[in-house]
Amino acid sequence: MTRTLILPGFMGSGTDHWQQHWLSDYPGSRLVEQDNWDRPHLDAWLVRLESALEKHGDVILVAHSLGCLLAAHLAGRASAERIRGALLVAPCHLDRTDQIHPDAIRFGSMPEKRLPFPSLVIASLNDPYMPFEQCRHYASVWGSDLIDLGYAGHINVASGFGRWVHGYRLASLFQRDGSDGMPGTVSRIGSHRPFRGIVRDRRLLS
């Protein structure tokens, strides 16, 4: 059975965040809990994630913000073999994040390796944590497809994202058998190029 692991970013995902709704709507999904959400440290966060991967076997990652960088740092690690796909929503850039939250994050440098698993980056044109052109660059570096949500901020509660039903549908692209309570589908992401570049679909905003 393929599990879904939820990877929040800096300060976690609070009440009404779409990741919290995901956990409620799909009881088979699991939150990767961190000891300290307010002082993220890459090595400590990786230990927690890899422990969850060892426990749950084959998984789909659903990450937001700094959680996307955590997922991307699995490139080159043996534990990445357990990942069937990753939905990377509003990845942040470490330089921009440090400007907004000085000295709070110890996450090394931006991950620059191609991901060994299928991945889909969901980006915004006015994300304060990552300019769109930078996001497009990293999606290319990681070998990810990219969906442009338009002017959607950081794709969080502040920008109007509570329960995000379209996110479930995007994650279902990685599922082949309908496990974890998601609709079954034949994955189109196995080649890493299901969308053939940037897709602009405003219907994904809600």
Side-chain angles (χ1 to χ4, degrees):
M1 177 179 179
T2 304
R3 292 283 188 185
T4 298
L5 295 184
I6 305 295
L7 309 183
F10 176 53
M11 294 191 289
S13 296
T15 304
D16 290 333
H17 192 285
W18 58 266
Q19 286 186 315
Q20 292 298 328
H21 286 291
W22 201 305
L23 290 164
S24 299
D25 292 345
Y26 294 103
S29 59
R30 296 288 183 270
L31 173 70
V32 177
E33 187 70 55
Q34 299 293 345
D35 287 330
N36 193 336
W37 291 110
D38 297 337
R39 291 287 177 179
H41 190 285
L42 177 60
D43 292 342
W45 279 34
L46 276 173
V47 167
R48 282 300 186 94
L49 175 53
E50 292 191 309
S51 177
L53 290 171
E54 183 177 352
K55 178 179 179 181
H56 294 296
D58 289 352
V59 303
I60 291 169
L61 302 181
V62 176
H64 180 252
S65 194
L66 192 64
C68 300
L69 305 193
L70 178 65
H73 273 293
L74 288 172
R77 301 174 75 93
S79 57
E81 296 178 0
R82 299 176 180 269
I83 300 171
R84 302 281 73 84
L87 188 65
L88 307 175
V89 182
C92 63
H93 193 286
L94 291 174
D95 290 345
R96 182 66 66 89
T97 304
D98 189 59
Q99 291 173 5
I100 299 171
H101 307 284
D103 301 320
I105 295 171
R106 296 290 182 267
F107 237 69
S109 57
M110 289 293 294
E112 296 276 358
K113 294 182 179 179
R114 186 176 181 87
L115 302 182
F117 43 80
S119 56
L120 179 58
V121 170
I122 312 298
S124 165
L125 294 175
N126 62 335
D127 191 335
Y129 287 89
M130 173 90 88
F132 184 77
E133 289 306 314
Q134 279 190 328
C135 197
R136 177 158 55 182
H137 165 75
Y138 282 102
S140 177
V141 167
W142 298 337
S144 307
D145 284 289
L146 176 64
I147 288 182
D148 157 20
L149 252 60
Y151 295 93
H154 196 43
I155 314 178
N156 57 6
V157 175
S159 56
F161 283 77
R163 180 174 277 104
W164 183 35
V165 176
H166 282 293
Y168 306 154
R169 297 171 186 169
L170 291 170
S172 76
L173 292 171
F174 299 110
Q175 294 281 1
R176 294 181 181 275
D177 57 3
S179 60
D180 204 20
M182 290 183 178
T185 182
V186 176
S187 175
R188 294 184 292 149
I189 302 185
S191 67
H192 285 232
R193 307 307 306 168
F195 296 106
R196 303 185 185 282
I198 300 175
V199 172
R200 294 178 173 87
D201 191 343
R202 304 300 183 260
R203 292 172 298 175
L204 298 175
L205 285 168
S206 60

